[in-house]
Amino acid sequence: MRARPLTLIQDELVDYDQAMERMTDLVGQRQRDERPDTLWLLSHPSVYTIGRRTPISHLPDPTRGIPVIETGRGGQLTYHGPGQLVGYLVVKLDESEGIVDYVREVELRLVEALGKLGLPAERRDTPPGSELLTGVWTAETGRKIISIGMRQSRGVTSHGFALNVDGDLTPWNWAVACGMPDVDMTSLKRELGATAMDEVRAVVAEAFEAA
């Protein structure tokens, strides 16, 4: 894997709409070469986000009270909430790279991070005709622990990944996550027991060469 140092920004809980406004600003700065490649680590209050291809049948019952927001990233429905580490990646790709190439790199860096945290994990190739298996899965239990949805505009990436650390997993069961009705979403807490968010942030930042 090529060296790709990133500048690190860290926040705690940031409203999703506010985060999208700032991410758009960061992307514009990177497109104009006004800032370096960046990893922004944060968390969101409870919210479902959906891609443009997400079927209505995959959405949660509105009585659950969790807002649903359409977003410009790739992928299907995902859930964000407290106890989840979100990473937005604003990276200018080389002319020889596409967004699919970079998503694969993101998966491998996150597999490395989970390994350092003591959880063997893997990326998966998508069989022909299947829903995209983008993300990271636990090697031993076969559960999905990281969702990834990204896009590229004028050579710069946006959006990123969501790693379940120690938050409530129940909202995942109220909708169809990732376009896969049978997916079993998990977290570091479920797989390993108590896991400190600060440690996870540090290990993930290191895996992305972010400082």
Side-chain angles (χ1 to χ4, degrees):
M1 198 181 326
R2 57 167 286 184
R4 200 193 299 262
L6 306 180
T7 293
L8 179 63
I9 301 174
Q10 296 205 67
D11 283 298
E12 297 297 330
L13 210 60
V14 180
D15 180 81
Y16 187 81
D17 286 335
Q18 293 177 354
M20 291 303 97
E21 290 179 8
R22 186 177 185 191
M23 185 182 69
T24 299
D25 186 46
L26 293 173
V27 169
Q29 292 177 38
R30 187 67 190 97
Q31 288 170 336
R32 297 186 298 270
D33 291 323
E34 295 173 357
R35 70 170 301 108
D37 292 337
T38 300
L39 169 63
W40 181 18
L41 294 179
L42 67 158
S43 296
H44 294 306
S46 292
V47 62
Y48 291 102
T49 65
I50 59 175
R52 294 169 182 165
R53 298 186 300 110
T54 302
I56 293 177
S57 60
H58 289 189
L59 304 186
D61 185 330
T63 62
R64 297 295 184 182
I66 299 177
V68 177
I69 298 176
E70 184 173 330
T71 185
R73 60 163 173 77
Q76 300 264 10
L77 177 144
T78 195
Y79 168 75
H80 299 302
Q84 181 188 75
L85 181 62
V86 173
Y88 292 127
L89 288 152
V90 179
V91 174
K92 179 169 281 190
L93 301 180
D94 293 339
E95 292 184 1
S96 62
E97 293 179 295
I99 189 64
V100 174
D101 301 310
Y102 187 59
V103 167
R104 183 170 295 111
E105 177 182 322
V106 171
E107 290 172 329
L108 293 173
R109 289 182 183 274
L110 290 167
V111 166
E112 175 187 327
L114 290 176
K116 290 183 177 178
L117 290 165
L119 182 64
E122 61 189 9
R123 62 169 301 275
R124 293 183 175 180
D125 291 317
T126 303
S130 298
E131 185 60 45
L132 284 175
L133 297 181
T134 306
V136 179
W137 310 71
T138 60
E140 295 176 0
T141 62
R143 299 168 179 147
K144 190 171 187 181
I145 189 166
I146 298 177
S147 302
I148 298 175
M150 299 190 69
R151 63 169 295 184
Q152 172 183 297
S153 175
R154 291 170 50 198
V156 175
T157 69
S158 59
H159 299 275
F161 62 86
L163 163 58
N164 300 318
V165 179
D166 58 4
D168 182 9
L169 293 172
T170 306
W172 287 103
N173 300 324
W174 296 339
V176 177
C178 313
M180 294 177 283
D182 297 326
V183 70
D184 187 3
M185 300 300 298
T186 193
S187 65
L188 283 166
K189 182 178 180 180
R190 181 181 178 188
E191 301 295 327
L192 299 177
T195 305
M197 177 66 83
D198 287 346
E199 179 187 4
V200 177
R201 281 174 173 262
V203 171
V204 168
E206 181 183 10
F208 281 91
E209 306 171 66

